[in-house]
Amino acid sequence: MTVRLLAFVAFAFILGDALAADKPDLTLTGKLSGKDDQTYKLVPFDVPAGVDRITVDFAYTGRDEKTTIDLGLLGPGGFRNNAFRGWSGGNKSRFTVSATDATPSYLPGPIAPGRWNLLLGIPNIRERAHAEYTAKVYFSRNGKIPDLLDEPLRAGPGWYRGDLHMHGAHSDGSCTPQSGKGKMPCPLFLSAQAAADRGLDFIALSDHNTVSQADAVRELQPYFDRLLLIAGRELTTFTGHANLIGTWAPLDFRVGSADVPDWSTLFRNAARLGGFVSINHPIRLSGEICMGCGWTATPAVDMRLVQAIEVVNGNDADTVISGIPFWQAQLDKGFRLTAIGGSDDHNAKQWSESRGHVGIGTPTTVVHAAELSQRALLDALRAGHVFVDVFGSKDRHFEFTAKGDGIDAEMGDKIAAPEDAKVDFSVKTGNVAGGSVEIVIDGKLANVIDSPKIGSAAQAFAFAWTSDGRRHWLRANVRNAEGKLVVVGNPVYVNWTTDARH
């Protein structure tokens, strides 16, 4: 590092939270003049231990004078230590690198502590021109992703539709190749395209135990600017499967090993990463044909560490292997767990408009979130502001709300109601004409709506319920004219003092 170079670079160190987009950990600034035309500059910065992701937001002045600054990144030791991490030239002003993924033009890999360098190339700056640059550097730890990498694809509250469980080439997803012969690992692009064709707003790529799909997601997300690709994996063990959604951080999944003796240990480790955990398809046979597919965890898992149960897996809603009874049994024990659905798709090419009711988006998990971003969706999933559209329509709608003593509650919320207090419940349905509404109170069907038949595209139902002062959960479903379950609603919780959520 030369004295002359250091004179070019002024360092402004700003201590801040790497999860806030306007508070970088470091801000690097510098000035260029015509003397720097067609030269390369190193802009050094130090990365502390414990960092697992570096994100850089780069800007410069002088574009109106045709100044151009290209951008790259070197790890400790630079080219001589084979630590080149990428070169985006002038085509990107923001990039991220981590062990699991990197912005296209950059290489994923371990984030070693020590002296790193931005590599600037100046292909053009006029003789009498001057320019200033600013590089905001964000350090992330424990798999956390800074806000500027989770900008909403759609702003504002809404009911967002997605699929939280699918597999592709990074595990056992397969589809027919171009030749039409046999089966080959199915590229992630096809899963995303199928979800987009299905009209979904988000999907979680949940390949078995791996996060190798993260780098492909980083490449695909800018193209799929209407479909949010959420971090995910299916923790697949000999005694059960569970999805971990919302983090790409590596996690030891070896339940039964010395390091991960049981599922509770695994879920505690997942919680440290800020992930959302759901137990998948809990009612399945488990054996040589499908090892670990059923939930047989021993010792019994601490359900306070779980946020959700996959109550509908593919088309199992009205079968003996549905997860609904397992979920409701946990509710009866006092655990607030969100009911979600997942297609568990293994062939992204199997769905089409003509076939329908199979593949990605069947079922659809519909989430009432503040915006279409990973953070907002995870917040809403944890809160239980969710219903499951069993057949994955594009427009089916459902709301279940309660009012009592000045409190308004939606699905997933808690409400207090002392003995003899009346609570007014409401059900709103959309695009399920010909079906009927059913109310479930503490796991039992309750005849509290005089006329539950749905006769129009949009309809509302109401009933009053008198509290006995004790703990209860109430929820609603919708069945179609043939009696098949088409909507699974989450509960409103009455007089709930225990809380399994984090």
Side-chain angles (χ1 to χ4, degrees), residues 245-328:
I245 299 170
T247 175
W248 292 122
L251 181 66
D252 189 345
F253 57 86
R254 299 171 299 158
V255 171
S257 68
D259 292 328
V260 191
D262 52 37
W263 271 99
S264 292
T265 300
L266 178 54
F267 286 154
R268 278 191 290 270
N269 293 341
R272 295 187 185 99
L273 303 177
F276 175 86
V277 169
S278 68
I279 294 176
N280 292 344
H281 45 69
I283 308 300
R284 290 289 192 278
L285 292 175
S286 183
E288 290 183 346
I289 295 177
C290 190
M291 182 60 65
C293 283
W295 187 255
T296 60
T298 55
V301 68
D302 182 353
M303 296 299 291
R304 292 172 298 179
L305 301 171
V306 179
Q307 288 82 54
I309 305 295
E310 186 183 70
V311 302
V312 183
N313 177 274
N315 57 4
D316 72 359
D318 281 306
T319 72
V320 296
I321 58 174
S322 164
I324 294 175
F326 179 90
W327 168 56
Q328 294 191 150

Side-chain angles (χ1 to χ4, degrees), residues 11-346:
F11 296 94
F13 295 93
I14 301 175
L15 298 177
D17 182 356
L19 295 179
D22 60 345
K23 293 183 180 180
D25 290 271
L26 303 174
T27 298
L28 314 176
T29 64
K31 297 180 179 180
L32 300 173
S33 69
K35 296 178 180 180
D36 298 301
D37 186 45
Q38 297 189 10
T39 64
Y40 295 97
K41 303 295 181 184
L42 295 179
V43 182
F45 62 97
D46 292 322
V47 177
V51 170
D52 55 30
R53 179 181 297 276
I54 300 171
T55 303
V56 175
D57 198 18
F58 186 77
Y60 64 92
T61 64
R63 294 176 186 269
D64 55 338
E65 295 180 291
K66 306 301 181 182
T67 295
T68 301
I69 303 177
D70 291 340
L71 186 61
L73 181 68
L74 297 174
F79 283 104
R80 293 180 180 178
N81 196 38
N82 196 29
F84 174 70
R85 296 301 290 267
W87 176 261
S88 54
N91 67 72
K92 296 177 180 71
S93 60
R94 179 183 297 168
F95 67 84
T96 189
V97 293
S98 75
T100 58
D101 60 278
T103 300
S105 304
Y106 294 87
L107 298 171
I111 305 300
R115 176 61 55 91
W116 289 60
N117 283 275
L118 294 181
L119 175 59
L120 305 185
I122 303 94
N124 189 65
I125 183 169
R126 291 174 177 174
E127 183 178 357
R128 297 183 180 181
H130 293 83
E132 297 181 358
Y133 62 82
T134 300
K136 296 179 180 179
V137 183
Y138 303 82
F139 297 144
S140 302
R141 297 169 176 83
N142 297 322
K144 301 295 192 300
I145 296 176
D147 285 353
L148 77 169
L149 296 181
D150 189 28
E151 294 179 338
L153 291 191
R154 198 177 311 161
W159 289 90
Y160 296 108
R161 315 178 78 85
D163 189 343
L164 295 171
H165 189 172
M166 64 189 64
H167 301 276
H170 293 266
S171 59
D172 54 347
S174 61
C175 55
T176 305
Q178 288 182 322
S179 68
K181 298 178 182 179
K183 295 286 186 180
M184 298 296 174
C186 207
L188 178 57
F189 178 86
L190 294 179
S191 294
Q193 188 61 60
D197 292 343
R198 193 78 194 260
L200 298 183
D201 300 306
F202 65 89
I203 56 174
L205 291 310
S206 55
D207 284 303
H208 296 287
N209 293 330
T210 188
V211 290
S212 61
Q213 67 272 35
D215 202 44
V217 167
R218 188 66 60 197
E219 179 179 1
L220 292 178
Q221 184 64 88
Y223 174 80
F224 288 97
D225 58 356
R226 296 180 180 177
L227 176 71
L228 184 64
L229 307 179
I230 299 176
R233 82 203 73 174
E234 186 171 22
L235 302 169
T236 306
T237 79
F238 308 137
T239 56
H241 297 182
N243 268 5
L244 174 58
I245 299 170
T247 175
W248 292 122
L251 181 66
D252 189 345
F253 57 86
R254 299 171 299 158
V255 171
S257 68
D259 292 328
V260 191
D262 52 37
W263 271 99
S264 292
T265 300
L266 178 54
F267 286 154
R268 278 191 290 270
N269 293 341
R272 295 187 185 99
L273 303 177
F276 175 86
V277 169
S278 68
I279 294 176
N280 292 344
H281 45 69
I283 308 300
R284 290 289 192 278
L285 292 175
S286 183
E288 290 183 346
I289 295 177
C290 190
M291 182 60 65
C293 283
W295 187 255
T296 60
T298 55
V301 68
D302 182 353
M303 296 299 291
R304 292 172 298 179
L305 301 171
V306 179
Q307 288 82 54
I309 305 295
E310 186 183 70
V311 302
V312 183
N313 177 274
N315 57 4
D316 72 359
D318 281 306
T319 72
V320 296
I321 58 174
S322 164
I324 294 175
F326 179 90
W327 168 56
Q328 294 191 150
Q330 310 311 312
L331 299 179
D332 286 340
K333 295 175 184 177
F335 299 105
R336 286 174 64 212
L337 300 172
T338 302
I340 62 173
S343 68
D344 205 354
D345 179 74
H346 283 69

